Amino acid sequence: QVQLVESGGGLVQAGGSLRLFCKASNLAFSQYDMGWIRQDPGGRRELVAVVKAGGATSYTDPVKGRFTISRDDVENTVSLQMNNLKPDDTGMYFCDAQKFSDTGSRIDYWGLGTQVTVSS
């Protein structure tokens, strides 16, 4: 079965850095757009960063200049480098894999998430 496993979360002081990792198994990884979605302590969800199958990247405004998403289609991994972390970055971070079939239906997989906590 398809598996997405996140790692790298933890507790860090404001201004510090973390790097999140997602390892994918049992899917054609290079065909999928990969992203990171976070849920804050109030339950709000936000698409943080995306790296498409062709390599193009995009970020939500609050993390631009601080976060970098990258993928390795040989190792089937996607990572999120997070620098200059702020308390508002606190939340559960989920790895997402998405593509569309030839008939237009969406295929979407999520991991179980990794916790990031930034203290002030």
Side-chain angles (χ1 to χ4, degrees), residues 30-52:
S30 63
Q31 298 178 13
Y32 283 79
D33 300 333
M34 301 298 300
W36 288 93
I37 299 165
R38 67 186 180 188
Q39 182 171 320
D40 71 16
R44 302 176 186 89
R45 292 181 179 179
E46 180 180 33
L47 179 62
V48 176
V50 171
V51 55
K52 294 185 176 180

Side-chain angles (χ1 to χ4, degrees), residues 98-108:
Q98 182 174 287
K99 74 170 184 178
F100 290 90
S101 71
D102 293 337
T103 59
S105 61
R106 190 182 76 169
I107 303 170
D108 193 11

Side-chain angles (χ1 to χ4, degrees), residues 36-119:
W36 288 93
I37 299 165
R38 67 186 180 188
Q39 182 171 320
D40 71 16
R44 302 176 186 89
R45 292 181 179 179
E46 180 180 33
L47 179 62
V48 176
V50 171
V51 55
K52 294 185 176 180
T57 60
S58 62
Y59 303 88
T60 187
D61 284 342
V63 311
K64 287 181 178 177
R66 300 188 296 120
F67 290 12
T68 303
I69 189 171
S70 60
R71 67 188 298 155
D72 187 333
D73 288 346
V74 175
E75 299 294 332
N76 291 350
T77 58
V78 59
S79 65
L80 185 69
Q81 178 67 46
M82 306 186 295
N83 296 328
N84 192 23
L85 283 161
K86 305 177 184 298
D88 285 348
D89 295 320
T90 293
M92 284 290 294
Y93 284 70
F94 301 90
C95 179
D96 176 67
Q98 182 174 287
K99 74 170 184 178
F100 290 90
S101 71
D102 293 337
T103 59
S105 61
R106 190 182 76 169
I107 303 170
D108 193 11
Y109 300 101
W110 289 52
L112 295 180
T114 185
Q115 176 68 37
V116 172
T117 303
V118 184
S119 65

